[in-house]
Amino acid sequence: QMQLVESGGGSVQAGGSLKLSCAASGFAFGFCRRDWYRQAPGKERELVARFIGGGTTIYGDSVKGRFTISQDNAYTLSLLMNSLQTEDTALYFCAVHRMSPYYCPIDQLWGQGTQVTVSS
Protein backbone atom coordinates (compact mmCIF):
# COMPACT_ATOMS: atom_id res chain seq x y z
CA GLN A 1 0.00 0.00 0.00
CA MET A 2 1.36 3.39 -0.97
CA GLN A 3 1.24 6.04 1.70
CA LEU A 4 2.89 9.15 3.07
CA VAL A 5 3.43 9.61 6.78
CA GLU A 6 4.47 12.93 8.28
CA SER A 7 6.29 13.33 11.57
CA GLY A 8 8.21 15.91 13.54
CA GLY A 9 5.41 18.29 14.43
CA GLY A 10 4.99 19.66 17.90
CA SER A 11 4.85 22.77 20.02
CA VAL A 12 7.60 25.37 19.93
CA GLN A 13 8.07 28.95 20.99
CA ALA A 14 8.31 31.74 18.47
CA GLY A 15 11.80 31.98 17.05
CA GLY A 16 12.39 28.28 17.42
CA SER A 17 12.89 25.56 14.84
CA LEU A 18 11.34 22.27 13.85
CA LYS A 19 12.15 19.72 11.20
CA LEU A 20 9.27 17.83 9.61
CA SER A 21 9.74 14.55 7.79
CA CYS A 22 7.57 12.80 5.25
CA ALA A 23 8.19 9.10 4.77
CA ALA A 24 7.00 7.34 1.66
CA SER A 25 6.14 3.67 1.83
CA GLY A 26 5.28 1.39 -1.06
CA PHE A 27 7.01 3.65 -3.56
CA ALA A 28 10.01 5.93 -4.00
CA PHE A 29 9.64 9.64 -4.62
CA GLY A 30 11.46 9.47 -7.94
CA PHE A 31 10.79 12.75 -9.70
CA CYS A 32 7.28 13.26 -8.43
CA ARG A 33 6.38 16.83 -7.62
CA ARG A 34 6.92 16.90 -3.85
CA ASP A 35 5.04 19.44 -1.79
CA TRP A 36 4.54 20.63 1.72
CA TYR A 37 1.21 22.34 2.38
CA ARG A 38 -0.33 23.70 5.53
CA GLN A 39 -3.79 24.55 6.71
CA ALA A 40 -4.65 26.67 9.71
CA PRO A 41 -8.12 26.63 11.29
CA GLY A 42 -10.54 28.69 9.26
CA LYS A 43 -8.05 29.23 6.45
CA GLU A 44 -7.49 27.69 3.06
CA ARG A 45 -4.75 25.17 2.47
CA GLU A 46 -1.63 26.92 1.22
CA LEU A 47 1.53 25.77 -0.46
CA VAL A 48 4.55 26.03 1.81
CA ALA A 49 7.30 24.53 -0.33
CA ARG A 50 7.67 22.53 -3.53
CA PHE A 51 10.40 20.33 -4.96
CA ILE A 52 10.27 19.76 -8.73
CA GLY A 53 12.27 17.30 -10.79
CA GLY A 54 15.90 17.02 -9.75
CA GLY A 55 16.20 20.10 -7.62
CA THR A 56 14.03 23.11 -8.40
CA THR A 57 12.45 24.51 -5.25
CA ILE A 58 9.59 26.93 -4.79
CA TYR A 59 8.49 28.56 -1.53
CA GLY A 60 5.45 30.40 -0.37
CA ASP A 61 6.08 34.09 0.18
CA SER A 62 5.44 33.87 3.91
CA VAL A 63 8.16 31.27 4.50
CA LYS A 64 10.91 32.33 2.09
CA GLY A 65 14.24 32.55 3.81
CA ARG A 66 12.98 30.64 6.86
CA PHE A 67 11.94 27.20 5.57
CA THR A 68 13.97 24.74 3.52
CA ILE A 69 12.62 21.72 1.66
CA SER A 70 14.97 18.84 0.99
CA GLN A 71 14.96 15.19 0.05
CA ASP A 72 17.07 13.14 2.40
CA ASN A 73 16.85 9.90 0.42
CA ALA A 74 14.58 8.12 -2.02
CA TYR A 75 11.86 7.74 0.60
CA THR A 76 12.14 10.77 2.89
CA LEU A 77 11.21 14.38 2.28
CA SER A 78 11.98 17.01 4.91
CA LEU A 79 10.99 20.55 5.78
CA LEU A 80 13.33 22.50 8.04
CA MET A 81 11.51 25.40 9.64
CA ASN A 82 13.53 28.15 11.29
CA SER A 83 12.49 31.42 12.92
CA LEU A 84 9.01 30.08 13.49
CA GLN A 85 6.22 32.58 14.02
CA THR A 86 2.80 32.21 15.60
CA GLU A 87 1.33 32.56 12.11
CA ASP A 88 3.05 29.31 11.15
CA THR A 89 0.70 27.36 13.42
CA ALA A 90 -1.11 24.88 11.19
CA LEU A 91 -1.53 21.27 10.18
CA TYR A 92 1.28 20.46 7.76
CA PHE A 93 0.81 17.95 4.95
CA CYS A 94 3.15 16.41 2.46
CA ALA A 95 1.88 15.45 -0.96
CA VAL A 96 3.18 14.08 -4.23
CA HIS A 97 1.80 14.59 -7.72
CA ARG A 98 2.77 13.36 -11.12
CA MET A 99 4.06 16.30 -13.13
CA SER A 100 4.99 15.99 -16.79
CA PRO A 101 7.63 15.38 -18.06
CA TYR A 102 8.98 13.82 -14.89
CA TYR A 103 8.55 10.21 -13.85
CA CYS A 104 6.28 9.54 -10.86
CA PRO A 105 4.83 6.12 -10.06
CA ILE A 106 1.52 7.56 -8.81
CA ASP A 107 -0.92 10.26 -9.85
CA GLN A 108 -1.21 11.93 -6.47
CA LEU A 109 -1.04 11.06 -2.80
CA TRP A 110 -1.49 13.01 0.44
CA GLY A 111 -0.37 12.34 3.97
CA GLN A 112 -2.54 12.78 7.05
CA GLY A 113 -0.63 15.76 8.38
CA THR A 114 1.37 16.71 11.44
CA GLN A 115 0.43 19.58 13.74
CA VAL A 116 2.78 22.49 14.34
CA THR A 117 1.92 24.93 17.09
CA VAL A 118 3.99 28.06 17.66
CA SER A 119 3.41 30.06 20.83
CA SER A 120 4.50 33.59 21.63
Side-chain angles (χ1 to χ4, degrees), residues 1-5 23-28 75 96 105-106 108-112:
Q1 181 181 1
M2 296 178 178
Q3 62 178 348
L4 296 172
V5 179
S25 62
F27 74 104
Y75 303 94
V96 296
I106 54 178
Q108 66 169 314
L109 186 65
W110 290 79
Q112 295 297 307

Side-chain angles (χ1 to χ4, degrees), residues 8-63:
S11 297
V12 64
Q13 288 194 323
S17 299
L18 281 174
K19 185 176 182 180
L20 306 184
S21 293
C22 174
S25 62
F27 74 104
F29 282 114
F31 291 102
C32 301
R33 195 188 80 196
R34 291 139 278 171
D35 299 331
W36 283 99
Y37 284 85
R38 68 186 182 187
Q39 187 166 20
K43 295 188 177 180
E44 293 186 355
R45 187 172 294 184
E46 66 170 327
L47 177 67
V48 175
R50 174 167 291 168
F51 207 118
I52 299 173
T56 301
T57 55
I58 298 171
Y59 293 94
D61 288 342
S62 62
V63 306

Side-chain angles (χ1 to χ4, degrees), residues 64-108:
K64 283 180 182 176
R66 300 188 298 122
F67 290 12
T68 303
I69 188 172
S70 63
Q71 185 167 332
D72 300 340
N73 55 54
Y75 303 94
T76 306
L77 184 70
S78 294
L79 182 70
L80 177 62
M81 306 185 295
N82 293 322
S83 302
L84 282 161
Q85 304 167 358
T86 55
E87 306 85 75
D88 296 318
T89 295
L91 188 63
Y92 284 72
F93 302 86
C94 65
V96 296
H97 292 78
R98 182 177 292 128
M99 180 177 176
S100 178
Y102 303 105
Y103 169 74
C104 180
I106 54 178
D107 186 35
Q108 66 169 314

